[in-house]
Amino acid sequence: MTSSKKIIFSAVVVIILAGGGYYFWNKEKAQTPKYREIPVTTGDLEITILATGTVQPKNRLEIKAPVAGRIEQILVKEGQQIRKGQILAWMSSTERAAMLDAARAQGAEEYKKWSELYLATPVMAPISGTLILKNVEPGQTFTTTDAIFVMSDRLTVKAQVDETDIAQIKLKAKATIVLDAYPQSPLPATVDQIAFDATTVNSVTTYLVDVIPVETPDFMRSGMTANVTFNIAAKKDVLIVPSEALRVSEGRTMILVKKPNSKEGVMREIRTGITDGKNTEVVEGLDESDTILATEFRLGDKAAQGTNPFGPPSRSRQRSGSGQRSGGPGGP
């Protein structure tokens, strides 16, 4: 090999080695975690569970006549508040209707005579509530299978709650109803009933939870779509830290705390309280004078794709429609 070729070959080898060294040095530098400083602060935490539902009568009652016949007179209208035992309409049986029609053909006096001898039958309300549907008009005939009126004792929202959240919802717990048709008018409500039987749709298991508004507004209608926020827990003026900064190892909750007058940190064990997924309450192990260090993840880092043990469960993020969680309880 000539002297010139040796020089060129040596130069190429040096360039390759230098490039490789730079590549691995740069890769190692890129993998070195960077931290951002976060002061420990006090704040408020509120845990809620979100669900969607439909406005339905708590008890929907169809009123049917004991015999077939014809409606003679209607005394109520849809949306009216009805008391138990109130007369809703007057009806004639098929035989009375036929007799009165024949008497009417013979003249007014004959019709009056038979209508007074053979009185109409009242249709009465079996419960107190609201008349939500009127299916007949005066002069209309019906059979014993036809629902003449439909009543409800009061309106409720049947919310679909995911099975992973149902354990946190208790009877008489407070909630807020927001109707899609009236988003600016939230309604205070309470949990009235939790279903014992589940419904599974597209591999998602949900339970129906009846939520009753404290006061039912006039604009609330059966069939409306509603969003329900269940208030699970709330705390004010507690120490909070970002949930992403927490690490769990062998059943212990740890956090990286910055050393005084240093850029380095030291792992410290803490005890946590409730969490809304984004922030977590610290019950023991930190105070407001501390500063914690949280890893800064860069786009494309595999670590950024990990699951924080104090964040919302991945299943909740995959849900669509009902039972989506905005927070859940945390613990050490």
Side-chain angles (χ1 to χ4, degrees), residues 33-40 241-242 244-247 254-260 262-267 286 290-296:
K34 292 185 178 180
Y35 298 96
R36 57 189 176 95
E37 298 181 3
I38 303 174
V40 178
V241 295
E244 62 182 288
L246 302 178
R247 297 293 178 265
M254 311 294 292
I255 196 167
L256 188 60
V257 181
K258 181 184 176 184
K259 294 180 180 179
S262 174
K263 292 185 178 180
E264 297 181 353
V266 60
M267 295 300 294
L286 290 177
D290 290 324
T291 299
I292 63 173
L293 300 176
T295 305
E296 286 187 341

Side-chain angles (χ1 to χ4, degrees), residues 17 28 36 40-41 44 51 76 84 108 151 163 178 190 206 209 212 219 231 241 247-248 258 262 277 297 311 315:
L17 292 176
E28 183 179 354
R36 57 189 176 95
V40 178
T41 59
D44 301 338
V76 293
K84 183 178 179 179
M151 289 185 61
E163 64 174 330
V178 177
T190 57
T206 60
V209 177
I212 294 182
F219 55 76
N231 303 318
V241 295
R247 297 293 178 265
V248 175
K258 181 184 176 184
S262 174
F297 293 112
R315 182 172 181 179

Side-chain angles (χ1 to χ4, degrees), residues 25-325:
W25 174 81
N26 190 58
K27 182 178 181 181
E28 183 179 354
K29 181 181 178 182
Q31 291 178 346
T32 302
K34 292 185 178 180
Y35 298 96
R36 57 189 176 95
E37 298 181 3
I38 303 174
V40 178
T41 59
T42 59
D44 301 338
L45 280 180
E46 182 178 20
I47 301 175
T48 60
I49 293 176
L50 306 180
T52 59
T54 305
V55 178
Q56 296 181 19
K58 179 174 175 56
N59 292 305
R60 187 179 188 274
L61 180 65
E62 294 184 344
I63 301 175
K64 300 178 180 179
V67 295
R70 181 176 69 194
I71 287 292
E72 301 294 347
Q73 184 182 10
I74 296 178
L75 306 178
V76 293
K77 60 182 179 179
E78 290 183 359
Q80 183 175 334
Q81 294 296 316
I82 307 298
R83 68 180 183 279
K84 183 178 179 179
Q86 181 176 340
I87 297 176
L88 307 178
W90 292 96
M91 61 161 283
S92 295
S93 64
T94 301
E95 293 77 8
R96 182 179 188 272
M99 183 190 65
L100 290 181
D101 290 345
R104 186 181 287 109
Q106 298 179 23
E109 292 185 3
E110 193 71 12
Y111 174 80
K112 180 180 179 181
K113 169 186 172 182
W114 285 103
S115 62
E116 291 177 350
L117 288 175
Y118 196 174
L119 298 178
T121 302
V123 179
M124 307 177 71
I127 62 172
S128 297
T130 304
L131 188 74
I132 61 175
L133 189 61
K134 175 172 65 71
N135 286 327
V136 291
E137 297 294 340
Q140 184 175 343
T141 59
F142 54 84
T143 67
T144 55
T145 61
D146 296 328
I148 304 174
F149 301 103
V150 178
M151 289 185 61
S152 72
D153 51 358
R154 68 177 305 176
L155 293 176
T156 182
V157 174
K158 294 189 176 295
Q160 300 177 15
V161 179
D162 192 277
E163 64 174 330
T164 59
D165 297 325
I166 198 67
Q168 301 181 66
I169 297 177
K170 308 298 181 184
L171 292 176
K172 306 302 179 182
K174 293 182 179 180
T176 302
I177 298 172
V178 177
L179 302 173
D180 282 1
Y182 299 92
Q184 305 302 322
S185 302
L187 307 174
T190 57
V191 176
D192 180 67
Q193 185 175 351
I194 302 173
F196 288 90
D197 192 22
T199 302
T200 302
V201 179
N202 296 329
S203 300
V204 177
T205 302
T206 60
Y207 288 83
L208 282 180
V209 177
D210 287 358
V211 183
I212 294 182
V214 176
E215 294 184 3
T216 303
D218 294 336
F219 55 76
M220 194 172 183
R221 298 286 186 273
S222 179
M224 286 183 170
T225 301
N227 295 296
V228 181
T229 301
F230 297 94
N231 303 318
I232 304 303
K235 288 189 176 181
K236 295 184 178 295
D237 296 326
V238 295
L239 287 179
I240 57 175
V241 295
S243 299
E244 62 182 288
L246 302 178
R247 297 293 178 265
V248 175
S249 176
E250 299 179 353
R252 302 164 61 195
T253 304
M254 311 294 292
I255 196 167
L256 188 60
V257 181
K258 181 184 176 184
K259 294 180 180 179
N261 303 320
S262 174
K263 292 185 178 180
E264 297 181 353
V266 60
M267 295 300 294
R268 184 185 298 178
E269 182 177 0
I270 61 173
R271 188 162 62 91
T272 60
I274 67 172
T275 177
D276 63 2
K278 182 179 180 182
N279 295 308
T280 298
E281 175 195 9
V282 178
V283 178
E284 186 179 293
L286 290 177
D287 56 50
E288 284 190 83
S289 63
D290 290 324
T291 299
I292 63 173
L293 300 176
T295 305
E296 286 187 341
F297 293 112
R298 292 176 291 275
L299 186 63
D301 285 352
K302 291 185 178 180
Q305 301 173 5
T307 301
N308 188 289
F310 289 86
S314 57
R315 182 172 181 179
S316 292
R317 293 192 292 268
Q318 294 172 356
R319 298 179 206 143
S320 60
S322 66
Q324 187 171 2
R325 176 185 298 175

